[in-house]
Structure formats: C-alpha cells, structure tokens
Amino acid sequence: MALHDNTQAAPVIALEGVGKMFRTADGADRAVLEGVDLTLREGEIVAMLGKSGSGKSTLLRIMAGLVGADRGTVQFRGRPLQGAAEGIAMVFQSFALFPWLTVQQNVELGLEAQGVAGPERTRRAEAAIDMIGLSGFNSALPRELSGGMRQRVGIARALVTEPDLLLMDEAFSALDVLTGETLRDEMLGLWQSGRANIRSILIVSHNIEEAVMMADRIVILSSDPGRVRAEVPVPFPRPRNRDDAQVRALVDEVYTLMTSPATPGPRVPAATAAQALGYRLPDADIGQMEAVLDLLHESPFFGRADLPHLAAEAGLTDDDLLPACEAMQLLGLAHIERGDISATALGRVYYQTPPPERKVLFGKQLLAHVALAAHIRRELEESEHGEVGEEAVLRELEAYLKPEEAETVLRIAIDWGRFGEVYGYSLHSGMLMLPDLVPSA
C-alpha cells in the first residue's frame, strides 16, 4: 500500500543550486556543499543521511536561515529566505536549553522573540508542554529532568511557534535507544494527528532504520563536497513494522547506497600524495574495528554479513558501525559491496593472528593505505631528532580541511599510528616521534 503522492503539494522550502564554501589556511576556497537541489513539500517528512563531510549540518543551518548560501537560491513559502524566518523551527541534538530557566520559560522563549504578549505566551507554552507529555513539570529546571524529558522541552519550544517547517538535527541520537524510539513514535503520532500544525519535517539522522521508519522520502548526500546523490521514496503506511520483509529490504537498499561509491566504477585514487593528505579518515575506534572483524568471522556470518544484521549482532549504531567498516575496507581487511561486508584474505589472516602480532600487521597496512600516516612517518625519519610537532601537521591538513576537521583527522591518525607502532605521541609536549624514542612507562 503506497502513501498519498506529495509531488503536487505546495513547496514549503526549495533549494536550487545551493553551494557553501570555506577558506582553507592557505587562502584557497573549498566547497562544503555544491549544487544542492532539494524541495520539501507540505505533508511530508524527509530524512537526510550522509557520512561525515557531507555537509548535513551546514545544509540544515542554511535552511534555518542561520547561515547564508554562497551560491544558489533558497525560497521559503515562495519567497527568498533572508535570515531566520518565523515559520521555521529547529530541534538540536544537544537539547540547547538555558539551564537557569524553567521548562515553562524555555518553551516561551521563541514566542517572546516573536513579540507574543505575556498571557498568550503562557497559554500557548502550557499547551505545548502538555502536548509533548510534560504536564506538571512547567516549573522544573533542566537539571531536574532526564535526557528524554529535556529533549521533550526542546521539541515543545519548537512546536509552540507552530512552524510550517520543523528541522530536527539528530534530535534522538543523544538518547538511549528505548527513549529515542518512544519519543520518535510520539512525534509521528503528533504529526499524523495534525495537532502540531506542522506542514513539513526534515530529520537529519545517522540512523538508517530511524529514517526508514519515520520518513516519506530519504535524501542521501555524498561527501566532499556535499551533493544530493540519491532520493529514496518510502512507500509504506504508518505505523511501520521494523521486521516486515519490505521494510528490511528498503533498509538494505539504503545501506547499499550509503556504503557504495558516489559514481559507478572504481574509485579514482588521489593524483598525488599531497592531495591524499586531505582524505577524511573515518572516525573509527580500533577496538570496535577488531570486534566487528572478529564477529564477522564467527557464527552465523563466517566471513560475510549483511550490514544491518551485523549492526544488530554487534549492538552498534550506524554511526559507529559504518565508520568501522569503512576503516576496515580502507586498511584492506574487509570489502563492502551492495550493503554486505566480507573479510578479505588479509582480514582472515588478521583474525587468526594473536593480538600482539596484530599491531605489526595493522601498522604495515596503515603505511600502505593511509597517506597521512605514511607522510608523518616519512617526516619523522627525515627530521634531525626523529620528532615533529603536531601543530606543523595540523597546518598541512588545514590546506584541505576546516581547522576542527583537521584536528579530528589528526587525532584519528595518531590513535591508529600509536596502535600500529608506526609512531608515538606525547600528549604533554604535543610531539610525534619515532617509536624507539617513546619514553617507556
């Protein structure tokens, strides 16, 4: 049974050719977003997925009017969006509550900014608090509430303004699984009842199953720069059964899109080692990588697994599993194709190798496949004292990445390099050094 067709409904917000740039440390411009075309229409929930570097948060802030686009146009209700608009509200992952204000006062903030009179503010805030299931907690401070209750306050603060467009930036990801699912289901109940008077919802998520369970349409962004690489309709009525065969098949399809190259054919290697330094390493914990690889070799998988099934068995979210799998593929330990992961011959050897010897194999693969690690090692070998300051490496990375992204990539490279005994690092001095120069504990 298909849902009603929204393609002829009135646009709530429309982006055409949207691009956003940032300036690197060497003065060059680099695109975060490029050529993004996206329309949200009345009566639909859209979920947006993308890896790190896809510009999801930047795009969301452009749609909220918090930052401007450098290229293209953004129209809200048929008019150019210029700054924050009254008909757009946003729910953040971090709750973003003022800790010194009560629940009632936090919810009233948006109405106060719109100039709504005191008695009307009070009435509408009380109604929103009741609608989101927090009646009786109006005078409580955020520190007195659980995480789920604090996020309810954030949602009530957004709903009280009766926005045409609700933007949700990973709004359930900071919550435990059960609380997140409960709040998600309650939001869907409010949406379908029409009580919240919202015309359209955009959910930025890292959870593929959440996107399939909530959305009418899933938009997938590619990375570096962010572009819309695929749009997947979700043709199932709500409420949806996560165990339904058609739902599981769609989850598999989205996993396939999320783990496949953006364009058909083999990946094109970086033209030079210098260009490869800007590769955005997946933020993967080594312990999780090894746990996933070990699980992959055991029953019921024996070397090959469907990614959603593996995620369930490993008890990992997509935010943890996908970077771990990407890192394993990068290091030649696994291969991902069409939403399935399989161990390579080297991955099988790694699995059978005792833990102390694994470090040697890991380090060898790191130098062979991660340009940044090989570059650091080469710099150390060529330096007079076998040491290089992390600030020098950061400056090199900032020619390709934003400062905060460069710091993340260097932290990952340091963690991987220390594990593989390719180089050491002193947190006290901020120096990278050859392994034989690392002070013994």
Side-chain angles (χ1 to χ4, degrees):
M1 176 181 173
L3 298 176
H4 61 280
D5 184 5
N6 285 316
T7 57
Q8 301 305 313
V12 176
I13 192 166
L15 288 70
E16 185 173 346
V18 164
K20 186 68 180 176
M21 313 293 290
F22 78 92
R23 182 151 292 182
T24 61
D26 62 358
D29 287 333
R30 179 166 176 171
V32 179
L33 298 167
E34 187 173 87
V36 174
D37 296 330
L38 178 63
T39 298
L40 272 65
R41 299 182 180 276
E42 287 195 7
E44 69 171 349
I45 300 176
V46 175
M48 184 185 297
L49 301 172
K51 297 180 183 178
S52 175
S54 61
K56 300 190 300 294
S57 292
T58 300
L59 187 58
L60 202 68
R61 278 153 179 75
I62 289 173
M63 296 172 74
L66 301 178
V67 298
D70 294 326
R71 297 174 182 165
T73 61
V74 181
Q75 291 201 325
F76 175 60
R77 286 301 192 192
R79 296 183 177 181
L81 180 64
Q82 296 175 332
E86 284 191 5
I88 302 174
M90 192 163 174
V91 180
F92 300 89
Q93 176 186 358
S94 61
F95 313 143
L97 304 180
F98 289 99
W100 58 87
L101 298 182
T102 65
V103 168
Q104 177 83 23
Q105 290 167 333
N106 266 289
V107 174
E108 285 188 21
L109 279 176
L111 296 175
E112 187 175 352
Q114 292 179 3
V116 177
E120 177 67 5
R121 282 204 312 267
T122 300
R123 184 193 67 77
R124 287 174 59 178
E126 287 176 348
I129 290 168
D130 180 61
M131 181 168 57
I132 205 65
L134 281 179
S135 182
F137 290 90
N138 303 54
S139 61
L141 292 170
R143 67 172 181 268
E144 301 173 287
L145 307 176
S146 67
M149 293 169 76
R150 289 197 295 273
Q151 189 57 294
R152 287 174 188 271
V153 178
I155 293 171
R157 185 177 57 191
L159 297 183
V160 75
T161 62
E162 299 185 350
D164 287 340
L165 174 62
L166 180 64
L167 305 173
M168 307 189 77
D169 190 3
E170 300 195 5
F172 310 115
S173 64
L175 308 174
D176 65 81
V177 173
L178 182 59
T179 302
E181 288 183 359
T182 300
L183 196 49
R184 182 192 73 199
D185 290 344
E186 290 180 8
M187 280 298 301
L188 287 175
L190 283 174
W191 165 259
Q192 291 187 267
S193 71
R195 291 174 61 202
N197 294 318
I198 305 167
R199 299 291 179 264
S200 183
I201 300 177
L202 177 68
I203 301 165
V204 170
S205 179
H206 63 261
N207 187 316
I208 292 172
E209 185 176 278
E210 177 180 277
V212 171
M213 294 298 289
M214 290 194 76
D216 301 301
R217 179 164 51 105
I218 299 171
V219 174
I220 301 174
L221 300 184
S222 60
S223 302
D224 294 317
R227 299 186 180 94
V228 176
R229 62 173 294 189
E231 293 195 26
V232 181
V234 185
F236 311 127
R238 301 183 188 91
R240 295 166 187 164
N241 179 0
R242 70 180 70 251
D243 297 320
D244 180 85
Q246 291 181 305
V247 171
R248 299 316 307 170
L250 188 58
V251 170
D252 282 350
E253 179 184 341
V254 178
Y255 265 98
T256 299
L257 289 167
M258 288 287 291
T259 56
S260 302
T263 54
R267 295 176 187 263
V268 179
T272 66
Q275 289 175 330
L277 288 182
Y279 179 79
R280 196 186 306 270
L281 296 174
D283 195 352
D285 177 82
I286 294 164
Q288 287 179 342
M289 274 191 266
E290 293 199 330
V292 170
L293 189 64
D294 290 349
L295 180 63
L296 184 61
H297 282 86
E298 297 165 2
S299 174
F301 304 119
F302 302 111
R304 186 179 184 90
D306 169 68
L307 280 172
H309 190 185
L310 185 65
E313 287 291 320
L316 295 175
T317 66
D318 297 330
D319 213 24
D320 292 323
L321 179 70
L322 293 182
C325 292
E326 183 183 348
M328 289 160 57
Q329 180 167 257
L330 177 65
L331 296 169
L333 304 175
H335 177 67
I336 301 172
E337 186 174 16
R338 298 191 61 79
D340 289 348
I341 183 170
S342 56
T344 62
L346 183 65
R348 291 191 289 274
V349 170
Y350 191 93
Y351 169 71
Q352 295 165 356
T353 301
E357 285 75 31
R358 282 184 173 188
K359 292 187 174 186
V360 176
L361 185 53
F362 189 96
K364 180 180 177 181
Q365 293 303 105
L366 185 63
L367 289 175
H369 296 287
V370 177
L372 177 57
H375 174 73
I376 292 172
R377 177 67 187 223
R378 192 162 51 247
E379 290 284 303
L380 292 171
E381 291 172 345
E382 293 174 357
S383 67
E384 183 178 356
H385 301 292
E387 294 183 335
V388 172
E390 64 177 329
E391 290 299 326
V393 183
L394 275 174
R395 284 195 297 271
E396 292 182 282
L397 287 176
E398 286 172 5
Y400 310 98
L401 301 168
K402 295 178 181 178
E404 63 272 19
E405 294 170 340
E407 289 181 8
T408 298
V409 167
L410 181 57
R411 173 185 57 78
I412 296 165
I414 288 173
D415 289 346
W416 292 6
R418 292 176 73 184
F419 177 78
E421 298 180 346
V422 172
Y423 38 76
Y425 172 71
S426 168
L427 181 62
H428 176 70
S429 65
M431 298 297 290
L432 290 143
M433 60 199 73
L434 291 169
D436 55 1
L437 297 178
V438 178
S440 57

